Amino acid sequence: MSQPLPIAKSSQIIHLLPQMSNRHGLIAGATGTGKTVTLQVIAENFSRIGVPVFMADVKGDLAGLSQPGVTNPRLAARIETLGIAHTFAACPVTFWDVFGAGGHPVRATISDMGPILLARLLDLNETQSGVLALVFKIADDNGLLLLDLKDLQEMLKFVGDNAKEFRTEYGNITAASIGAIQRGLVALEQQGADALFGEPALELADLMRVSADGRGMVNILAADRLFHAPKIYSTFLLWLLAELFEELPEAGDLEKPKLVFFFDEAHLLFDDAPKALVDKVEQVVRLIRSKGVGVFFITQSPLDIPEDILGQLGNRVQHALRAFTPKDQKAVRAAAQTFRANPGFDVEAAITEVGVGEALVSFLDPKGSPGMVERALIFPPSSLIGPISPQDRQALIQSSPLRGRYEQAVDRESAYELLRRRAEQRAYREEIDTLARRQPAPATRPVGRRRDTAMDTFMKGTARSVGSAVGRALIRGILGSLGGRR
């Protein structure tokens, strides 16, 4: 059994139990109250016992996990108050970056992302989302790989041009819906999302590595630029969570998680999200524990998390909340009610009183029951608090064993190339037919033979390429991405 993880101290040390960490958790509190340091301390502890973690670094503060910490008067005073032995040490870190500047490039294919998450990215209404799902089905049925944005753009054009011929089998596909999706893709491309889609796609095994000395890898996604497009940021993290659910085998209750996933700025996931998507997220969070994955949501207020999901977050660290407005006061009351009360103090009052680095803490006990809430000081991290220099970051990227695996984009034959080739073939055939019609018809010309339509030509060509392009059926998972895709 893995040793309990020391996270905070009240009258005694408060431990997070590794075997209960796949029951998920919440780190909440107002800006500047210490959420990032708490995340850092929890991540260090998981890494120390051999559990890989993944987190998005929105402000650049988490890069310090890669360097040993340094003392200062404030930190020394905290260590003395806690009365603990403390050593400084770095964690093994791998940096990732959708844009490839602050880490290894991380990509997903359009097919992997699936129509449900893409519809959210594109702000589509229900009708437009249905049309996008049909476009994906037509692509899947005909072995057309959708790898990057130009594949989807070409597929939309083809389906729009031949909507009447698809209507019988797939239903009505309106030009207005196709146009709305195309405009959304242009806007997405302008936000830099084209860097996210393509190959080589991220292999989840590369997030679940351990270092030579047995410590879990700390995977840090540089998200300072990505965060400026909040819907892309939150949808990408949700896609990654869904991929973990789809690809990992059932594991049951383990003595420690296979991976711990920290979802920072979690409110972005649920802002303006349709109920159908929230229900899917709730389902993923509920079921992914059986795959050995723990999820910690980091946000300002517990009210940012839908109630059905909040009820699944058994391990909680609540930093200070402000109570200046009626809405703030409601959030404080809601946060207090989520804890198992402690007769020693007023939980609701304490939430507004705790200082920076102090929090109300309740972790699950060995039976899975919430522990009584304690007002406690969070332990200081062993690694550096704050950002690191660009030179240190680049040195770690250059020395990473993953260097070279994702840096060079690959553009293999997919929907764009196949559809363009079919279009060229149709244009050539139509030109030949036009020339032939200008000549006198030969006496032996067959009578009554129907000329192939553009759709016929396409389908014949596609049928020849399905085996080589796909080689097996495509099965979409819980959020519309492809399960077992590679």
Side-chain angles (χ1 to χ4, degrees), residues 197-403:
F197 297 110
E199 290 187 316
L202 175 66
E203 294 286 348
L204 295 183
D206 288 333
L207 298 181
M208 305 180 72
R209 297 177 299 122
V210 296
S211 64
D213 59 3
R215 290 181 294 163
M217 186 61 61
V218 177
N219 297 279
I220 300 177
L221 176 70
D224 48 342
R225 180 180 170 189
L226 185 65
F227 190 69
H228 290 299
K231 191 155 286 188
I232 298 176
Y233 165 82
S234 59
T235 304
F236 170 72
L237 292 188
L238 177 55
W239 164 78
L240 189 52
L241 195 60
E243 287 292 280
L244 288 166
F245 170 77
E246 296 289 353
E247 290 204 16
L248 293 179
E250 291 287 330
D253 290 326
L254 305 172
E255 67 173 39
K256 61 183 180 181
K258 292 181 178 179
L259 177 76
V260 174
F261 190 102
F262 292 94
F263 206 127
D264 201 1
E265 302 292 346
H267 67 280
L268 296 173
L269 178 57
F270 306 106
D271 286 349
D272 302 319
K275 186 179 184 303
L277 180 62
V278 173
D279 290 344
K280 293 290 187 183
V281 176
E282 187 272 332
Q283 188 178 6
V284 170
V285 172
R286 175 166 47 85
L287 297 177
I288 202 170
R289 58 176 281 189
S290 67
K291 305 296 184 85
V293 176
V295 183
F296 279 74
F297 291 95
I298 299 94
T299 191
Q300 293 198 16
S301 168
L303 292 181
D304 296 334
I305 309 295
E307 188 173 347
D308 288 344
I309 296 173
L310 187 63
Q312 300 182 51
L313 312 182
N315 300 296
R316 301 194 179 186
V317 180
Q318 178 66 62
H319 289 275
L321 288 175
R322 313 306 178 204
F324 301 131
T325 68
K327 183 178 179 181
D328 294 339
Q329 293 163 8
K330 181 181 178 182
V332 169
R333 286 194 298 274
Q337 292 167 2
T338 63
F339 287 107
R340 178 183 164 192
N342 186 328
F345 63 92
D346 183 336
V347 176
E348 187 173 329
I351 290 175
T352 63
E353 297 169 355
V354 291
V356 176
E358 191 179 12
L360 302 185
V361 181
S362 174
F363 294 143
L364 296 177
D365 66 19
K367 295 182 179 179
S369 300
M372 186 181 297
V373 63
E374 299 281 354
R375 183 170 176 170
L377 287 174
I378 303 298
F379 278 23
S382 297
S383 55
L384 182 68
I385 298 175
I388 62 175
S389 70
Q391 293 78 14
D392 286 338
R393 179 186 290 269
Q394 288 303 316
L396 284 166
I397 295 170
Q398 294 300 316
S399 62
S400 167
L402 297 181
R403 181 175 174 242

